Amino acid sequence: AASDLQRFPRPTLAVDVGGTKLAAGVVDRSGRLVRRAQAATAGADADALFEVLVGVVLEALDGTDPTVLAGCGVGTGGPMTAGGVAVSPLNIPQWRDFPLRDRLAERLGLAVWVDNDAKALALGEGWQGAARGAGDYVAMVVSTGVGGGIVLDGRLLNGHAGNAGHIGHLIVEPAGRRCGCGAYGCLEAEASGTAIRAVTGAHPRDASLEVRQRTGTLVGRAVASVANLLDLRLACVAGSVALGYGATFFDAAQAELDRSARIGHARGARIVPGGLGADGPLVGAGAVGWRGLGHDVGVR
């Protein structure tokens, strides 16, 4: 098992840090995920959670010395400081200003690049997914939380501290629920798995047809605002809630997008499932690593 990595020319380690699960894998230069492992996001404090993450990485490597890899890319929830030096994921209260990049680099002996998980997905979708060949699009994760990454003119937008693309904090219900960020009516506070569980008292997978349709409608509303603002015509949406709700979600989202994106340059914008499926977060994290190493992933 450990020796099978020898078949790939110095692949990169990929790490995805989510509010529900931690995952790690190995991504080769073609964007293929060749190994993966995962565990629940759990730990009494910051250091305990970090040790769980390291355990997932070691399980994915299955005895392979990490230093034989080319580097490591990480996708994690935000916000964070520039370059992912310190991360404070809203859905992971154990980590506030946690030095994830340097801690991983020290433990693994690898160069590590960290970016927002939805920005990582945007890289992956443009590299090998549903946005391949597109120069302007938004990629989204609708899961435990809601995140986004925006590509314009073939370039992934970063913003002042690397947090550009937080579509989950567009206001979609002005009189809505209080969000973890402190505002009211954010998309994340209304359409994330966390919000659905809070409102219904049940696991998001057990949501009614009405809740599934409303979730899609709210995502479509947010995408319409982005399309209107930024002159883009494609949204790729992944994550356990969006993909789990399937056609019910996407039909409702497209209907709302059609209704709300009426200005000429946004009319006809499409919202589609992410092309990488469940592998998207790790392929995206791998893309963060490959881009950091100077490899062409199709998005600057």
Side-chain angles (χ1 to χ4, degrees):
S3 64
D4 68 352
L5 292 186
Q6 312 270 338
R7 298 184 289 115
F8 305 101
R10 288 176 62 77
T12 190
L13 179 67
V15 176
D16 176 55
V17 178
T20 300
K21 71 177 186 302
L22 308 172
V26 176
V27 176
D28 69 14
R29 289 194 184 207
S30 70
R32 187 161 60 104
L33 182 64
V34 297
R35 186 85 64 74
R36 73 175 299 154
Q38 69 180 54
T41 304
D45 55 29
D47 289 335
L49 180 59
F50 179 71
E51 291 304 321
V52 173
L53 179 62
V54 170
V56 171
V57 168
L58 296 178
E59 182 182 350
L61 292 175
D62 193 20
T64 300
D65 182 344
T67 61
V68 307
L69 303 179
C72 175
V74 181
T76 180
M80 64 186 67
T81 60
V85 174
V87 303
S88 304
L90 290 180
N91 291 312
I92 304 179
Q94 298 96 318
W95 283 355
R96 289 296 175 263
D97 294 320
F98 186 75
L100 178 61
R101 187 187 70 179
D102 292 347
R103 288 283 296 272
L104 266 181
E106 179 183 12
R107 179 66 70 90
L108 300 175
L110 289 176
V112 176
W113 291 270
V114 178
D115 212 333
N116 177 271
D117 53 359
K119 287 172 64 189
L121 178 70
L123 283 180
E125 290 291 342
W127 185 25
Q128 298 293 344
R132 189 171 184 176
D136 306 281
Y137 61 92
V138 58
M140 293 180 64
V141 178
V142 183
S143 186
T144 304
V146 178
I150 296 168
V151 171
L152 283 183
D153 300 324
R155 185 182 300 275
L156 180 66
L157 299 189
N158 290 312
H160 175 69
N163 294 298
H166 265 65
I167 192 171
H169 297 280
L170 286 181
I171 307 299
V172 293
E173 290 282 21
R177 301 178 68 250
R178 182 178 174 89
C179 182
C181 74
Y184 289 85
C186 293
L187 181 63
E188 181 161 295
E190 299 289 338
S192 67
T194 301
I196 293 166
R197 185 189 290 269
V199 170
T200 67
H203 194 285
R205 66 171 170 259
D206 298 323
S208 67
L209 176 64
E210 180 182 6
V211 168
R212 292 168 185 246
Q213 289 174 330
R214 178 178 183 270
T215 302
T217 295
L218 295 177
V219 169
R221 186 173 302 166
V223 169
S225 293
V226 174
N228 290 338
L229 177 67
L230 297 179
D231 190 11
L232 54 79
R233 298 166 62 83
L234 176 64
C236 307
V237 186
S240 59
V241 170
L243 297 181
Y245 290 179
T248 299
F249 171 94
F250 284 98
D251 289 349
Q254 186 66 57
E256 181 66 15
L257 179 56
D258 292 341
R259 189 186 74 83
S260 299
R262 303 298 300 166
I263 193 168
H265 64 260
R267 191 172 297 159
R270 295 180 300 119
I271 185 164
V272 302
L276 299 172
D279 291 342
L282 285 175
V283 174
V288 170
W290 282 120
R291 188 175 71 153
L293 290 160
H295 181 64
D296 180 14
V297 295
V299 177
R300 290 171 286 162

